[in-house]
Amino acid sequence: MDMSRGCALQALLIVFITGSLADLQLLPSPVNISMVSINLKHTLYWDPVMVPGNVTYSVQTQGEFESRFVSHYWHEIKNCWNISARKCDVTQEVSTSVMYKFRVQTLVGDRLSAWAELDPPFNRRSTLLTLPKVELQVSELNLVAQIKDYGADFTFFIFYWKKGGEDDVNCITTSSYDVSTYLEKAEEGKEYCAEVIAYARPINRNSSRSDTVCVQVQGAKQSVVFITLLSIFGVVLVFVPIVLGVWKFAYVLRYYCCPDEDIPEMLKEPNMGQRMLRNSHSSEDSEEINNVELHEHRLLENSSFIVKMPKL
Ligand SMILES: *[C@@H]1O[C@H](CO)[C@@H](O)[C@H](O)[C@H]1NC(C)=O
Ligand SMILES: *[C@@H]1O[C@H](CO)[C@@H](O)[C@H](O)[C@H]1NC(C)=O
Ligand SMILES: *[C@@H]1O[C@H](CO)[C@@H](O)[C@H](O)[C@H]1NC(C)=O
Ligand SMILES: *[C@@H]1O[C@H](CO)[C@@H](O)[C@H](O)[C@H]1NC(C)=O
């Protein structure tokens, strides 16, 4: 009786222990853990764990120093703790070019799986540098370039040249991306081309050279008309006040030195009457001449009129 009770207790204990062990074993660890690192942005991925309940995951990391000297110490990644997503951005965790270990755990309620490790560990030197993209634009004759969709930690070498002048290639370095970088004043009617290399400073590595992009600068016609109109307007704007000023000045001057007043009788020229008589005599002569001329003119007019008449 005692023995059978003892056996039952033992069996219960065994069932309980194995049951809890089975529970642990039943919650599988994540599999197929992989790192995708592009242009120094690192994301850890894993496959979903298919078990009933709300499955979440947690991620920890360990740098090369800890791996060697305090291998029990793992650093938990705050934004990837008990998450339902199956990826984790670990860019901020990787601050030097050494080996980093990563491991992922499955959680369902208060049950945990064993940790599963990324194999092999990750070094940011293995990051993939994509072909940079550059856009070339001309705005108010400023030649500008814009590097697309890259990231921080890069220096960009922008090579540019005038088409036909490939021997004379200029280079500008910038750390800006997704904003315009000024290159130089563009010449009207010319075509400019550019290529870019992205230099990853933390790992001292260059990307491949981008595809060549070109831009045609608009011809001069439109702007010449515009500039001409603008200069005419400017000239008018400058000269009108000057002309007005000069006119006003002359007006003032005239009143200042030659006042427009009646000349007193005393100052009038003597023998005025005689002179006027002589003038009227000569005007009689001229009147005679005028009359003759007028007569001739009328005759001419008449003749031309006569010539025209029969036609009508
Ligand atoms: C592992 O995951 C990658 C994508 O993250 C997928 O392409 C690949 O097929 C997976 N491998 C297995 C064995 O499931
Ligand atoms: C999973 O979580 C949601 C809330 O986030 C809850 O409504 C649901 O009941 C949970 N399912 C299970 C199977 O625990
Ligand atoms: C994980 O989050 C769920 C809710 O999403 C919560 O019920 C659970 O207790 C959390 N587990 C841990 C270990 O923090
Ligand atoms: C990267 O490219 C630039 C421009 O061609 C060059 O000056 C530099 O030496 C290169 N650096 C490396 C590490 O290849």
Side-chain angles (χ1 to χ4, degrees), residues 265 268-285:
E265 286 293 313
K268 276 186 179 165
E269 253 186 295
N271 310 324
M272 203 62 166
Q274 267 186 29
R275 257 209 184 168
M276 277 173 79
L277 217 97
R278 223 183 293 148
N279 272 354
S280 74
H281 184 75
S282 60
S283 75
E284 252 178 43
D285 285 352

Side-chain angles (χ1 to χ4, degrees), residues 7-270:
C7 268
L9 206 73
Q10 215 174 351
L12 207 74
L13 217 80
I14 285 163
V15 164
F16 180 74
I17 289 165
T18 49
S20 55
L21 273 174
D23 255 10
L24 267 179
Q25 277 157 5
L26 270 177
L27 201 55
S29 306
V31 292
N32 195 19
I33 300 163
S34 61
M35 184 72 83
V36 176
S37 176
I38 298 170
N39 299 336
L40 291 170
K41 285 178 202 151
H42 326 299
T43 310
L44 193 70
Y45 290 89
W46 54 93
D47 284 354
V49 173
M50 306 304 258
V51 290
N54 285 331
V55 179
T56 58
Y57 308 91
S58 292
V59 183
Q60 288 183 335
T61 184
Q62 190 179 65
E64 199 172 280
F65 178 84
E66 289 87 354
S67 296
R68 273 197 201 166
F69 303 108
V70 277
S71 59
H72 64 278
Y73 179 77
W74 287 80
H75 166 68
E76 57 187 60
I77 299 174
K78 283 279 177 306
N79 55 325
C80 302
W81 198 249
N82 196 9
I83 54 164
S84 52
R86 286 181 289 109
K87 63 174 183 179
C88 173
D89 184 346
V90 299
T91 305
Q92 298 302 316
E93 308 301 320
V94 180
S95 51
T96 55
S97 300
V98 297
M99 285 296 186
Y100 280 81
K101 286 183 176 176
F102 289 93
R103 63 182 193 179
V104 191
Q105 184 181 47
T106 314
L107 297 84
V108 178
D110 54 1
R111 291 159 65 215
L112 309 169
S113 80
W115 289 97
E117 222 174 289
L118 171 73
D119 185 38
F122 171 71
N123 189 317
R124 67 180 180 187
R125 286 186 195 283
S126 66
T127 198
L128 178 77
L129 298 183
T130 60
L131 211 60
K133 279 197 201 88
V134 62
E135 257 180 28
L136 210 52
Q137 287 166 347
V138 178
S139 128
E140 287 167 0
L141 291 187
N142 296 317
L143 184 67
V144 297
Q146 198 176 109
I147 287 122
K148 294 285 183 190
D149 308 325
Y150 237 71
D153 300 327
F154 284 89
T155 299
F156 303 99
F157 297 93
I158 306 173
F159 302 95
Y160 64 97
W161 62 92
K162 221 178 285 175
K163 202 150 191 179
E166 278 82 357
D167 300 335
D168 187 18
V169 175
N170 295 299
C171 180
I172 276 184
T173 57
T174 178
S175 296
S176 316
Y177 60 97
D178 290 339
V179 292
S180 293
T181 301
Y182 173 81
L183 301 180
E184 67 173 34
K185 272 277 170 230
E187 265 179 63
E188 282 165 346
K190 297 277 192 228
E191 191 174 6
Y192 290 84
C193 296
E195 284 170 4
V196 65
I197 289 177
Y199 168 68
R201 288 191 303 271
I203 56 170
N204 187 32
R205 214 172 90 209
N206 273 340
S207 74
S208 299
R209 210 172 249 258
S210 74
D211 293 334
T212 310
V213 294
C214 295
V215 67
Q216 174 76 48
V217 185
Q218 285 302 307
K221 275 179 214 155
Q222 263 189 333
S223 53
V224 160
V225 168
F226 182 69
I227 286 164
T228 309
L229 280 175
L230 208 71
S231 26
I232 287 170
F233 184 67
V235 164
V236 166
L237 221 67
V238 167
F239 273 90
V240 163
I242 289 176
V243 167
L244 277 174
V246 166
W247 180 74
K248 183 89 180 171
F249 182 71
Y251 189 74
V252 168
L253 209 69
R254 193 162 71 92
Y255 272 83
Y256 186 71
C257 40
C258 334
D260 195 11
E261 278 173 31
D262 283 348
I263 300 161
E265 286 293 313
M266 300 248 304
L267 293 175
K268 276 186 179 165
E269 253 186 295

